[in-house]
Amino acid sequence: MKLPALVSITAGLVPALAAGWLLFPRLIYKTEAQPLPFNHKVHTEQGMSCGDCHAVAEDGRFAGIPTTESCAGCHAEKGENPAINALVERYVEPGAEIPWLSNARQPDNAYFPHAAHVTGEKVACARCHGPHGESTAVRPVQVNRLSGYPRDIWGPSISRLRREEWQGMKMSDCIDCHRAGGRESACIDCHK
Amino acid sequence: MKLEVSRRDLLLAGTGAAAGIVLSPVPWKALDDLSIWTQRPPTPTPRPAGPLAFRFTSCTLCPAACGLKARSFGPQPVGFAGVPGHPASDGGLCPLGLTAHHLAKHPLRAVAPERVSGGKRETIDRAAAAAALAAAISAAAKDPKRSLLVVDGRPGRSLSRTFRALAAATNGRYAVSGSPSPALDALAARFDGPLALGVDVTKARRVVSFGAPVLTDAGTPGLLARLRAEGRRKPKSERLEVVHVGATRTKSAGLADRFVPIAPRTEAAFALGLAHVLLDEKLADAAFLAARTTGLAGLEALAARFAPPLVEQKTGVPAADVVALARDLAAGRPAVVLGSDPAEPLSAEADAAIAALNLLLGAPSGPLVARRAAPSEPDGDAKLAAVTALDAVPERSVGLLLLDGTVPEGLVPWARLEKLLADDAVVASFSAFRAGLGEKATLLLPGPAPLEEAVELDGPADAPLATFALAPALLAPPKELVLPEELLREAASAAGFELPPPGAGRAAAILAAKRGQLFDPATATTTPVSSLADAAALETAFAAGACWVDDPAPAPSGRFALLRDGETPRLLETALGAPGPEPVRVAALPRTALSAAPSSPLLTKLTRETALFPAPSGARA
């Protein structure tokens, strides 16, 4: 008995679609673990804001990932929490910096000034980075094997269909937000 | 029932799989990721460390000498912005200047001396480099048929004085790279006394460019574009308009309000055609012509031969357009006509015709202003060679060509230098890069990269006011680097020539002249030089990035000759001759033709292929 043409086509189409939509996203990203566990929610429940650790300095610099010194301000000694003990043993006491991995590192050919957005325009951090403050565990970083940049730039959905505004930080996302705010920009504003 | 899988079924399944791949994210996601991968820089960006500080200097890459505000972490500058209010640039900065701090780490950077022998490039030590240079100097001094030629890209420095002393001691020649504005020089040369002219585009309503890239590379970066943008808020009759006349639609031509395409090498005919209409319809500035010029009858007789129909025949521009442009220039005064692209100069006759056109429009009483040069230290008793024009150097007469590291190949093409070289001539270059003319050197003696040394920096020669800065260094040079001045003196001494000691310096000369203002980039304020206590105070200010700007020069009272002796036959021959061949232009980066340094590999593709400048008003403080 001969196979109907539709069956033959489907036999090739379905595995290819499955491989493309399900397997490919797993292959294109590799997962790298963070050096320490971290609970954002515990800290925000204490009344801390994003800027307390991820500060934009008065001179406009984005301090970015917090230094060990800022952690040691509260966690200089060991206690009962194993994560805090690991922090103190491995980084605070030796005076070493924590090699946190960034989920939001933009490609080198893009210039993004945090000061202009956060300090100048009062854009909330969560608008681009999502509600990290509510997370109880710091996410491992998924790094794109081809481009070398983290997955948060593309967004969690391989289709780029976003359910939330913060899901994705590609150029088109920047442009959408600027256009929505009536702020047209020139290419050289970001690509110096 | 047995299923039979035929070759047809496999082909159909393959087609389905191909369709499935196309409908999956694989192709476009991989393409996107690969495109980002291609934009990753070839060298890792050094991670800056140290306290944040802002330092000031001036850009040394091209003659514009723009003010630079450097954002630094510790000793490492990480970003530049223009300096609003700066006398040379008023906040403007081009893409090359924005990335000047990358150049010290450029892949083509050379630190150790190199010698090309048998077609192979080899690294040599300092002693061998000095010995090779000394031998070449000695040989050039002994044989007048294989003499020394020094080409200086930035005259007026201490190093320039040493170059001139060496040329004088060895009976060699000293030349400088070309003038940025030969058409202005041609106009100044027709004044009945010494005169230098600058262009103040803020005073103009019409700017006509005969090929000069006024909206991209020439003049202060972004200034003309800003003036035009500001003019859009004014009534149309008051707006600044830029007209580009040329054989090639350059980027600047594309940005101009009007582009008038003409046949190659017919600039003189076109300028005389405009002069014809201005004189014929009595649209020229009669008061200026009567009070400030001579030789009107001669020009009238010459221009009478260039009626619009003939100009149309020569240039390809419709006669009606020639008439309309001339009428518009007369109605849109103050107007100024600027010369050519420095990298592609016009003929002397075209410059003469443009000069006459400027006089008919009365430009020297408007946008063209008299200016003085910045004070320079006197030659004193030192025996220094005078400047020789490169065209005056006989072919195959140079045994040692000494190239300063600031000579841009765009202004001094290698082909022009190569024909001056005798057989087996030594080409020594102080360029910091194996690029441009540095690549042509048989003896590369690398000097400091941009921002690695303090540089005596004169502003553009066609600016309305002279400026000068002792642009302080922002980067530490490599330890093994030998300064050109040191190496030159060492080699000259080894060859038996004692060069005069360095002079007192430009700061002392400026203080002695007691004129001009000192601009402080940190506060955007100016202080009269006459109020400074001593040379030390001036040098301290320069070390902090200050810029000296001259006071306006008094208006000259003499007359301009509309035509010089013997000029009419040459003008007729050039303007009535057959059009030249189509010029070949190489697409250039913004300002690369004016810079001896290569562009940063970190400049984005976008910036490489466009001429975008941050507007002065947008310069970040």
Side-chain angles (χ1 to χ4, degrees):
Chain A
M1 178 188 168
K2 284 187 176 178
L3 284 171
L6 190 60
V7 172
S8 298
I9 292 173
T10 307
L13 181 69
V14 171
L17 284 174
W21 285 99
L22 302 175
L23 185 61
F24 175 69
R26 295 175 188 276
L27 292 176
I28 193 75
Y29 291 107
K30 62 180 175 184
T31 301
E32 295 183 0
Q34 295 283 5
L36 284 174
F38 186 81
N39 189 332
H40 276 94
K41 190 175 182 182
V42 165
H43 291 78
T44 53
E45 283 176 350
Q46 301 286 329
M48 295 174 71
S49 68
C50 307
D52 290 337
C53 299
H54 306 279
V56 176
E58 285 180 9
D59 56 30
R61 250 183 321 155
F62 178 59
I65 293 169
T67 59
T68 302
E69 187 182 0
S70 62
C71 302
C74 300
H75 304 295
E77 294 178 358
K78 290 188 210 173
E80 295 180 357
N81 187 318
I84 295 175
N85 291 347
L87 164 71
V88 174
E89 277 176 21
R90 286 154 56 187
Y91 300 106
V92 175
E93 288 178 352
E97 287 302 325
I98 310 167
W100 293 113
L101 302 173
S102 172
N103 272 301
R105 180 178 159 229
Q106 282 285 344
D108 285 354
N109 65 346
Y111 168 74
F112 179 83
H114 274 88
H117 291 81
V118 181
T119 311
E121 293 298 318
K122 312 292 182 200
V123 176
C125 304
R127 193 162 171 192
C128 300
H129 294 284
H132 280 325
E134 298 166 14
S135 66
T136 55
V138 64
R139 289 182 296 140
V141 175
Q142 288 186 290
V143 179
N144 189 300
R145 292 178 194 272
L146 283 176
S147 71
Y149 293 102
R151 183 169 189 162
D152 279 16
I153 305 302
W154 181 269
S157 168
I158 198 72
S159 68
R160 291 270 300 141
L161 294 173
R162 300 195 294 172
R163 283 178 293 183
E164 302 289 346
E165 191 181 21
W166 49 266
Q167 292 178 334
M169 287 185 277
K170 284 188 71 67
M171 187 175 82
S172 58
D173 304 320
C174 301
I175 291 173
D176 289 346
C177 193
H178 275 223
R179 284 195 177 147
R183 293 180 183 275
E184 290 290 334
S185 300
C187 307
I188 203 168
D189 288 346
C190 306
H191 299 290
K192 302 291 185 188
Chain B
M1 188 171 61
K2 184 180 176 185
L3 286 175
E4 292 178 12
V5 180
S6 65
R7 189 168 59 184
R8 173 180 167 276
D9 295 327
L10 291 174
L11 285 172
L12 286 173
T15 306
I21 292 294
V22 169
L23 294 172
S24 80
V26 172
W28 32 275
K29 170 70 172 150
L31 199 63
D32 184 274
D33 290 339
L34 281 172
S35 69
I36 295 174
W37 174 74
T38 63
Q39 298 295 310
R40 296 182 77 173
T43 51
T45 309
R47 186 177 292 276
L52 178 81
F54 290 97
R55 294 185 285 163
F56 296 90
T57 187
S58 296
C59 179
T60 59
L61 291 178
C62 89
C66 298
L68 283 182
K69 180 178 183 178
R71 184 168 168 261
S72 308
F73 288 103
Q76 177 63 46
V78 294
F80 285 142
V83 180
H86 192 279
S89 56
D90 193 16
L93 203 55
C94 80
L96 288 185
L98 282 168
T99 53
H101 56 307
H102 298 170
L103 298 179
K105 302 286 184 189
H106 196 284
L108 294 173
R109 172 78 197 276
V111 175
E114 295 175 5
R115 180 168 49 198
V116 176
S117 175
K120 289 184 178 176
R121 187 178 288 270
E122 59 176 355
T123 301
I124 54 176
D125 61 19
R126 173 191 173 143
L133 184 59
I137 290 172
S138 184
K142 288 174 186 162
D143 187 353
K145 291 179 182 173
R146 298 174 56 87
S147 61
L148 165 72
L149 171 65
V150 183
V151 184
D152 190 354
R154 191 168 290 135
R157 299 166 295 159
S158 298
L159 180 59
S160 307
R161 185 183 164 89
T162 308
F163 282 144
R164 291 174 61 200
L166 180 66
T170 59
N171 294 317
R173 296 181 179 88
Y174 170 80
V176 298
S177 52
S179 164
S181 47
L184 283 191
D185 296 343
L187 179 53
R190 42 233 30 250
F191 190 66
D192 58 9
L195 176 69
L197 290 168
V199 187
D200 187 352
V201 288
T202 62
K203 291 182 178 173
R205 277 183 57 207
R206 294 284 183 278
V207 175
V208 182
S209 161
F210 275 70
V214 291
L215 287 166
T216 52
D217 297 56
T220 303
L223 175 61
L224 206 51
R226 187 188 69 181
L227 292 172
R228 278 205 313 167
E230 290 172 355
R232 292 195 185 104
R233 291 191 286 270
K234 297 178 182 174
K236 194 172 179 182
S237 59
E238 296 176 19
R239 289 178 195 167
L240 171 68
E241 190 174 288
V242 178
V243 182
H244 189 101
V245 179
T248 310
R249 189 181 175 88
T250 60
K251 289 172 190 163
S252 187
L255 292 167
D257 298 288
R258 267 189 276 177
F259 172 49
V260 183
I262 62 172
R265 315 283 183 236
T266 60
E267 291 85 359
F270 189 75
L272 289 170
L274 294 176
H276 172 98
V277 179
L278 290 172
L279 290 167
D280 191 46
E281 300 189 5
K282 302 198 184 312
L283 299 174
D285 188 336
F288 178 83
L289 290 176
R292 303 287 308 281
T293 65
T294 59
L296 180 59
L299 181 63
E300 282 177 329
L302 174 66
R305 301 187 62 170
F306 289 87
L310 176 70
V311 175
E312 177 177 349
Q313 186 188 333
K314 291 288 174 191
T315 65
V317 180
D321 290 358
V322 178
V323 174
L325 179 58
R327 288 175 181 166
D328 184 53
L329 289 181
R333 286 206 291 260
V336 63
V337 187
L338 301 176
S340 59
D341 185 342
E344 194 177 306
L346 300 176
S347 65
E349 289 72 28
D351 287 334
I354 290 170
L357 195 53
N358 271 316
L359 293 172
L360 291 178
L361 293 168
S365 62
L368 294 181
V369 295
R371 55 162 281 164
R372 295 171 290 196
S376 56
E377 55 183 309
D379 291 351
D381 297 333
K383 189 183 173 193
L384 306 178
V387 176
T388 304
L390 268 183
D391 293 337
V393 179
E395 292 188 10
R396 304 174 68 79
S397 68
V398 175
L400 170 57
L401 175 62
L402 202 55
L403 294 168
D404 177 42
T406 59
V407 183
E409 195 179 8
L411 292 185
V412 187
W414 174 243
R416 198 173 164 200
L417 294 171
E418 194 175 23
K419 66 183 182 185
L420 307 179
L421 299 179
D423 292 337
D424 300 324
V426 175
V427 180
S429 170
F430 289 114
S431 173
F433 305 97
R434 293 182 212 93
L437 293 176
E439 192 183 4
K440 308 295 190 299
T442 55
L443 185 60
L444 182 62
L445 311 163
L451 305 177
E452 281 186 348
E453 67 168 344
V455 176
E456 299 140 298
L457 195 63
D458 282 291
D462 55 357
L465 296 173
T467 57
F468 175 79
L470 260 174
L474 295 183
L475 298 166
K479 287 176 186 168
E480 61 268 42
L481 197 77
V482 184
L483 294 177
E485 176 96 34
E486 283 179 31
L487 194 65
L488 206 55
R489 287 182 176 278
E490 188 179 326
S493 178
F497 299 103
E498 288 306 322
L499 302 180
R506 298 286 294 278
I510 285 174
L511 198 68
K514 287 188 167 40
R515 67 172 213 251
Q517 312 280 322
L518 202 62
F519 173 79
D520 179 359
T523 59
T525 55
T526 53
T527 308
V529 169
S530 56
S531 69
L532 293 174
D534 51 24
L538 187 57
E539 284 172 4
T540 303
F542 277 138
C547 177
W548 173 85
V549 57
D550 201 358
D551 296 325
S557 57
R559 286 174 178 263
F560 293 88
L562 285 159
L563 285 173
R564 300 173 80 187
D565 291 343
E567 209 162 51
T568 302
R570 293 202 310 273
L571 267 166
L572 277 173
E573 185 184 347
T574 302
L576 295 177
E582 185 72 29
V584 177
R585 286 186 68 100
V586 178
L589 280 170
R591 291 184 178 263
T592 41
L594 306 176
S595 169
S599 59
S600 163
L602 298 185
L603 275 179
T604 63
K605 188 171 187 294
L606 169 81
T607 313
R608 285 171 191 273
E609 295 177 358
T610 60
L612 297 171
F613 305 112
S617 57
R620 276 178 290 280

